[in-house]
Amino acid sequence: MKLTPFHLHLEELHKQFLELKDGNVADYIPELAKVNPDHFGIVIVTVDGHVYQVGDSRVEFSIQSISKAFTYGIALEDNDLETVESKVDVEPSGEAFNSISLEPDTGRPRNPMINAGAIATSGLVAGNTGEEKINRILEVFEKYTGRKLNVDLQIYESEKTTGHRNRAISHLLRNYDILNGDPEEVLDVYFRQCSINVTCRDLALMGATLANDGVNPITGIRALDSKKIPNVLGVMASCGMYDYSGNWIYRVGMPAKSGVGGGIVAVLPGQLGLAVFSPRLDEKGNSVRGLAVCETVSQTFDLHMLHSTRTTTSSTIRRNYDGSIVRSKILRDGPAQEILDQYGHGIRVLDLAGDMQFVSAELVMHEIMAREKLPTHVILNFKHVSSINHAAVQQLCDLAVTLHNEGCQLIFIEIPKSFGLTSKFKSMLSDESFWPQMGFDDIDHALESCENDILESYDWESSIINQKGQPSSQPILSDMTTEELAFISSLMESKVFEENEIICKEGEPADKVFFVEEGQVSVWVNIIVSVSKKKKKRINVVGEGFAFSEGALLGAESRIADIIADQKSIISWFETGKLFDNDSAIALNIQKKLYKNLAIQTFHKLELSNKEIKSLMQ
Ligand code: DON
């Protein structure tokens, strides 16, 4: 695959900072001093799972303090918020990572990013033993990275034997009951978690998972509950770089976490994860090249999160039309068409697109509610929506309640299964009577249902009187004399088809014209979705009193579609050959009228299609 300009940019950046050799590798944990100081990797992973990596992107190194942010997320999932906040605050300390910054009266560490707060957080991970806790941490970390991880035992032993300050902190925390039980056991969990080996690519993917609302953008696995994302990113933004956090949010502008192993991970919510690996550290314990690269990337590509561009609400509504313009595929008689011409505008259809957030849902709500007359039906099509956040779902719940109370039927169609919208509605809107209808396969079925509601509310009855076994007053047979109808009847055959029974198949000779005397049939075509995948698409619905396969009158060779009975139906037909081979005057007159009626029907269908095309062009 050709390298994109963005990739080339990163390669340039890597080359530029290769010469930056300021700083020293950490040596207060002896094993860390053995790392190659010249290692240097840069990786960016987008929320679409696109990976851009240069340099030492797959060299393993010790995660160290970067683990704190992800373990904090686990603690938030394993405990209620009140418990976590009672054990660790979320205030930046403005002090070094190993400072003993505890609240004077409660002994609560200032935040979960400094060692004291991190040790308290490790103690909050679910598990009856240290082993269970570290296994839970590894299990969750592996959801972020999408691969097996391990604790580097040399680094663990090295930290365990020299970690006297952390040992003192853990006993101090025990003294304040921030830790319960044996502080040594929790400290051991903390040392193991810091000694987990990761690569620069892993870190960028972990960052991208946080950016992607907690879902790994490559594997699709959820690593963290969506509701905990703001908590984790919040402490990363305010405390992640310790006593450089102020400068960091000013110069780089992304939630981040550094580690003395030489890693930095930064998160641009909704967009990407950025990671740098370069072991030389400054006096605050942050990677020198890491800081320089992140600042340059942020400024070069305008990634500062507080410089967010306007949310693209303009693309939220990709199509906006009503039921008088676009109809369902079911053929309807003249009176029904007139009712729908007059009242179909009460059906409002919005095709939605993009990532739905608060403002996009607000735009949808405004588009519906700001009308002079509220619609009778609203269909929201989610086919092109790529994500929907909590705030947008809340807006849609409020819309559902309002429309229900106004007697307006709300319908959702083509909801991507990954949204879990039904379960989200259940959790936010307990009264099911407010829920929108979500059972239609596609827009056509939803439109048909709305049209039927309208026709029913205007007491429309099929104006076509059916005489079983006789050609009824079908539009294609209008203007026929009694003798002509009797002549056609003499050519007719009839059969009862059961629900889902195939009436005729694609590829068969097109030598018959069919009439639905009773019931309903659908016309299905096979659509090629990919080389190996086909999908059936309903292109027409023919109700009683209408004909289908009129193409046989125009010399069509073979059928282009399957015709299947939607319900038990009485179907009549005549073979076109029996009419065309008959050169009597009555047969010729019938042919002329059939062609005229067919031309009128086709013109009406063309008129409707033109209205739909016009709405597409708006
Ligand atoms: O507890 C320690 O000191 C190390 N395990 C982690 C310190 C660290 O990574 C600080 N971050 N820059």
Side-chain angles (χ1 to χ4, degrees), residues 28-29 64-65 68 97 115 159 166 190 194 242 257-261 284-286:
Y28 73 100
I29 301 172
Q64 291 300 317
S65 279
K68 297 170 176 176
F97 65 83
N115 288 6
E159 182 151 18
N166 285 334
Y190 170 73
C194 286
Y242 311 114
K257 187 72 207 76
S258 62
V260 290
K284 297 179 186 297
N286 299 320

Side-chain angles (χ1 to χ4, degrees), residues 137-408:
I137 290 169
L138 280 166
E139 174 210 4
V140 174
F141 278 28
E142 287 165 4
K143 287 181 181 171
Y144 281 98
T145 59
R147 73 180 186 97
K148 205 93 187 85
L149 299 176
N150 60 63
V151 171
D152 183 314
L153 294 179
Q154 282 79 11
I155 290 181
Y156 159 65
E157 287 299 338
S158 179
E159 182 151 18
K160 186 178 168 185
T161 48
T162 60
H164 310 300
R165 190 180 179 89
N166 285 334
R167 182 160 283 107
I169 289 171
S170 63
H171 283 267
L172 204 52
L173 294 175
R174 179 67 187 89
N175 177 60
Y176 281 107
D177 286 332
I178 296 296
L179 291 187
N180 305 317
D182 177 3
E184 288 295 334
E185 188 171 42
V186 174
L187 183 63
D188 194 67
V189 172
Y190 170 73
F191 285 149
R192 288 177 188 273
Q193 113 187 6
C194 286
S195 305
I196 292 171
N197 277 338
V198 290
T199 65
C200 194
R201 186 184 187 281
D202 289 333
L203 288 184
L205 183 51
M206 293 175 86
T209 300
L210 291 176
N212 193 37
D213 202 32
V215 176
N216 181 316
I218 293 180
T219 64
I221 301 285
R222 177 167 288 282
L224 179 63
D225 176 357
S226 165
K227 294 192 192 71
K228 310 303 181 195
I229 295 290
N231 307 102
V232 172
L233 292 182
V235 290
M236 288 172 74
S238 60
C239 317
M241 302 300 279
Y242 311 114
D243 42 350
Y244 186 75
S245 295
N247 264 280
W248 174 271
I249 209 70
Y250 176 79
R251 299 178 191 288
V252 181
M254 292 186 245
K257 187 72 207 76
S258 62
V260 290
I264 288 185
V265 63
V267 179
L268 186 54
Q271 294 194 48
L272 56 88
L274 160 66
V276 182
F277 166 45
S278 174
R280 289 193 182 90
L281 310 176
D282 63 14
E283 67 293 344
K284 297 179 186 297
N286 299 320
S287 166
V288 173
R289 281 179 180 152
L291 296 180
V293 166
C294 290
E295 189 171 338
T296 308
V297 166
S298 176
Q299 287 168 11
T300 308
F301 301 109
D302 191 11
L303 299 182
H304 197 297
M305 69 175 171
L306 300 179
H307 191 222
S308 62
T309 48
R310 181 185 185 283
T311 303
T312 52
T313 53
S314 53
S315 63
T316 298
I317 300 176
R318 69 194 286 274
R319 274 189 74 192
N320 182 351
Y321 58 89
D322 68 51
S324 69
I325 293 170
V326 178
R327 294 283 169 75
S328 74
K329 294 287 183 292
I330 189 165
L331 289 176
R332 299 195 187 267
D333 63 12
Q337 296 287 4
E338 281 159 27
I339 292 171
L340 293 175
D341 284 344
Q342 198 172 353
Y343 302 105
H345 58 72
I347 304 168
R348 176 59 46 191
V349 184
L350 299 181
D351 279 358
L352 308 178
D355 297 309
M356 290 198 70
Q357 302 167 346
F358 173 81
V359 282
S360 21
E362 185 279 331
L363 184 78
V364 170
M365 187 184 276
H366 182 268
E367 175 49 36
I368 294 162
M369 306 296 293
R371 294 178 171 277
E372 206 173 299
K373 197 165 179 307
L374 208 58
T376 56
H377 299 77
V378 170
I379 303 173
L380 299 183
N381 189 338
F382 290 83
K383 185 174 183 180
H384 298 280
V385 172
S386 37
S387 72
I388 183 163
N389 76 358
H390 186 81
V393 175
Q394 183 56 62
Q395 292 284 310
L396 292 177
C397 285
D398 296 345
L399 178 65
V401 173
T402 305
L403 294 182
H404 176 84
N405 293 338
E406 296 290 334
C408 171

Side-chain angles (χ1 to χ4, degrees), residues 16-153:
Q16 175 188 346
F17 288 108
L18 212 48
E19 299 318 310
L20 177 58
K21 301 206 184 233
D22 297 351
N24 301 295
V25 299
D27 57 7
Y28 73 100
I29 301 172
E31 197 62 23
L32 285 182
K34 297 176 184 170
V35 72
N36 174 351
D38 291 325
H39 276 319
F40 182 27
I42 306 172
V43 182
I44 283 181
V45 178
T46 70
V47 291
D48 292 310
H50 302 157
V51 181
Y52 298 91
Q53 52 193 340
V54 291
D56 301 317
S57 60
R58 291 187 183 264
V59 170
E60 286 206 330
F61 60 95
S62 190
I63 194 171
Q64 291 300 317
S65 279
I66 298 170
S67 64
K68 297 170 176 176
F70 300 94
T71 300
Y72 182 58
I74 299 171
L76 289 168
E77 284 199 329
D78 292 352
N79 304 270
D80 57 65
L81 202 53
E82 197 183 341
T83 302
V84 177
E85 290 178 355
S86 72
K87 300 291 186 183
V88 56
D89 198 1
V90 289
E91 272 308 317
S93 66
E95 294 172 331
F97 65 83
N98 57 2
S99 60
I100 303 181
S101 304
L102 308 181
E103 247 176 5
D105 46 342
T106 63
R108 197 171 53 142
R110 292 290 183 208
N111 65 69
M113 300 293 102
I114 55 175
N115 288 6
I119 293 168
T121 304
S122 301
L124 289 168
V125 170
N128 298 319
T129 65
E131 200 62 25
E132 285 179 10
K133 289 179 190 291
I134 192 62
N135 287 338
R136 168 134 175 83
I137 290 169
L138 280 166
E139 174 210 4
V140 174
F141 278 28
E142 287 165 4
K143 287 181 181 171
Y144 281 98
T145 59
R147 73 180 186 97
K148 205 93 187 85
L149 299 176
N150 60 63
V151 171
D152 183 314
L153 294 179

Side-chain angles (χ1 to χ4, degrees), residues 468-469 492-497 517 570-573:
K468 289 192 185 66
M492 287 280 202
E493 296 176 62
S494 185
K495 180 174 180 268
V496 176
F497 289 87
E517 299 298 349
I570 300 174
I571 307 296
S572 308
W573 66 89

Side-chain angles (χ1 to χ4, degrees), residues 377-527:
H377 299 77
V378 170
I379 303 173
L380 299 183
N381 189 338
F382 290 83
K383 185 174 183 180
H384 298 280
V385 172
S386 37
S387 72
I388 183 163
N389 76 358
H390 186 81
V393 175
Q394 183 56 62
Q395 292 284 310
L396 292 177
C397 285
D398 296 345
L399 178 65
V401 173
T402 305
L403 294 182
H404 176 84
N405 293 338
E406 296 290 334
C408 171
Q409 175 60 59
L410 179 60
I411 297 172
F412 289 174
I413 58 168
E414 312 242 20
I415 303 168
K417 292 208 176 7
S418 60
F419 285 7
L421 202 54
T422 311
S423 53
K424 281 176 184 163
F425 256 81
K426 270 184 187 163
S427 65
M428 294 161 81
L429 198 56
S430 53
D431 182 345
E432 283 190 37
S433 63
F434 290 128
W435 288 8
Q437 286 185 16
M438 296 191 256
F440 295 107
D441 291 340
D442 53 29
I443 184 65
D444 188 41
H445 287 87
L447 276 172
E448 183 181 334
S449 170
C450 298
E451 291 169 0
N452 291 342
D453 285 353
I454 290 176
L455 292 173
E456 196 178 313
S457 64
Y458 287 93
D459 302 327
W460 169 79
E461 275 295 320
S462 171
S463 61
I464 292 167
I465 312 300
N466 290 301
Q467 298 114 21
K468 289 192 185 66
Q470 295 296 322
S472 56
S473 52
Q474 304 233 8
I476 189 85
L477 301 180
S478 51
D479 284 349
M480 298 277 184
T481 63
T482 313
E483 295 73 21
E484 287 162 348
L485 284 174
F487 182 90
I488 286 186
S489 294
S490 67
L491 305 179
M492 287 280 202
E493 296 176 62
S494 185
K495 180 174 180 268
V496 176
F497 289 87
E498 298 302 326
E499 185 178 350
N500 295 328
E501 189 175 352
I502 295 179
I503 297 164
C504 40
K505 280 190 72 54
E506 180 185 349
E508 289 175 350
D511 58 2
K512 300 180 187 69
V513 177
F514 294 84
F515 300 88
V516 180
E517 299 298 349
E518 198 172 296
Q520 180 178 296
V521 304
S522 283
V523 182
W524 298 87
V525 290
N526 288 306
I527 294 195

